[in-house]
Amino acid sequence: MSNRLDGKVAIVTGAAAGIGRAIAEGFVREGAKVVVTADHNVTGGQAVAESLGDAGLFVQQNVASETDWDKVIAETEAAFGPLDVLVNNAGIGGTNGPVESLSLADWQKVIDVNLTGNFLGVKAGINAMKKNGGKGSIINVSSVAGLRGLPMAAPYSASKGGSRLLTKAAALSVAQEGLQIRINSVHPGWVDTAIIPEAMREAVVQTIPVGHMGQPEDIANMAIFLASDESVYATGAEFVMDGGQNA
C-alpha cells in the first residue's frame, strides 16, 4: 500500500465480482474506505465487503432507483463520513440481436441500468460531494462499445456511448459551477472475467494488438489514479484501456 487514497471514502457499484471487485480491493489497499454495492449478487457483494474488513461495507442497491441512491449515500456517510469518490461500475450486457428484433423491454432494461443508473449516480455523487467542500472524483466505467458501434448490441452501445457524453456534460457543468469535482470515464476493452465464454477466448485474444486480454486489476489501477489527487487536472476525459484495439 502506498496510501494514494489515504482517508478517502468511496462507493463502488456492481462490485460483487470482476472489475468492480478489483476496484474496491485496490482502493482499500491504497487506504480508502469503500462501500460495495450490488443488486442481484448479494452474497458476492457481502463477501467482498467482508474481505475488506473494517474498511468495507455492503449495501444492496438497484442503481436505476433514486431511492436506493439516497439510501447508499446515507449509509456511506453514516459509516465512513463524507463521500470523496464514486465509481459507477454496475452494468449489464442485455439481450443481443439485430435492432429490428429487439423489444422495447430489451432496450429499456439496458438503458435503465447502464445509463439511467449512471445519471442517478452522477447526480447523487455531486450532491453528496457538495456537502464535502465541493470536491471529489466521479468515475464512470463505460466501454470501448461506447466509442464505436458494437454489432448486434445496439442497446449496450447506446448506453455506453450515452455514459461517455454524460460524463463530459456533467464535468463541464460542475466546472462552470466552480466545483472541484472531476468526472471522467474509463473504457475497457476485453477484460479477463468469467463473463467471457471459454470457447471465445482464443478468438478474442487474436483481435487484441498486445496479444492478451486485460486483467480487472488493470482497470482498477486506472480507477485508483482517477480517484487520487494525482488526477487533479483530468476531467471530462475518456481513458481507453483496450490493448490497442482502437489505436
Side-chain angles (χ1 to χ4, degrees):
M1 186 174 75
S2 60
N3 298 314
R4 294 164 73 191
L5 304 180
D6 193 32
K8 293 189 184 295
V9 173
I11 296 169
V12 183
T13 70
I19 291 172
R21 176 172 188 159
I23 292 172
E25 291 173 341
F27 279 11
V28 169
R29 282 196 303 272
E30 294 294 337
K33 303 287 180 59
V34 177
V35 173
V36 170
T37 85
D39 191 8
H40 302 296
N41 189 2
V42 171
T43 301
Q46 290 172 331
V48 171
E50 289 172 8
S51 74
L52 302 177
D54 292 341
L57 173 70
F58 174 74
V59 181
Q60 186 173 1
Q61 179 193 27
N62 170 9
V63 295
S65 163
E66 192 159 21
T67 301
D68 273 16
W69 272 107
D70 292 340
K71 174 186 69 174
V72 169
I73 295 295
E75 294 197 27
T76 298
E77 293 174 341
F80 297 136
L83 182 68
D84 299 291
V85 181
L86 171 64
V87 182
N88 280 313
N89 171 72
I92 60 173
T95 300
N96 295 328
V99 175
E100 68 272 18
S101 73
L102 299 176
S103 69
L104 179 59
D106 293 331
W107 167 270
Q108 198 63 56
K109 183 177 181 180
V110 177
I111 296 299
D112 284 349
V113 175
N114 293 3
L115 185 52
T116 301
N118 272 200
F119 160 71
L120 291 174
V122 168
K123 177 182 177 181
I126 291 170
N127 283 325
M129 290 170 186
K130 280 184 174 181
K131 296 184 291 184
N132 190 21
K135 56 185 176 58
S137 175
I138 297 174
I139 304 161
N140 293 323
V141 180
S142 180
S143 166
V144 292
L147 304 174
R148 55 187 173 86
L150 188 64
M152 311 298 279
Y156 184 77
S157 288
S159 69
K160 293 300 186 177
S163 177
R164 170 178 174 264
L165 287 181
L166 167 66
T167 298
K168 294 179 181 298
L172 293 174
S173 178
V174 293
Q176 284 187 354
E177 292 182 64
L179 301 173
Q180 298 178 53
I181 299 173
R182 310 183 308 282
I183 308 177
N184 295 286
S185 59
V186 178
H187 298 259
W190 291 104
V191 177
D192 189 3
T193 65
I195 199 171
I196 302 174
E198 194 63 38
M200 288 180 56
R201 288 175 176 263
E202 184 176 346
V204 164
V205 169
Q206 290 177 358
T207 70
I208 304 172
V210 299
H212 61 84
M213 285 188 280
Q215 296 299 313
E217 292 74 18
D218 296 327
I219 313 305
N221 287 336
M222 177 58 74
I224 289 168
F225 166 70
L226 292 174
S228 77
D229 295 338
E230 299 164 16
S231 60
V232 67
Y233 198 50
T235 196
E238 55 201 52
F239 293 82
V240 181
M241 305 188 70
D242 66 355
Q245 282 187 305
N246 281 277

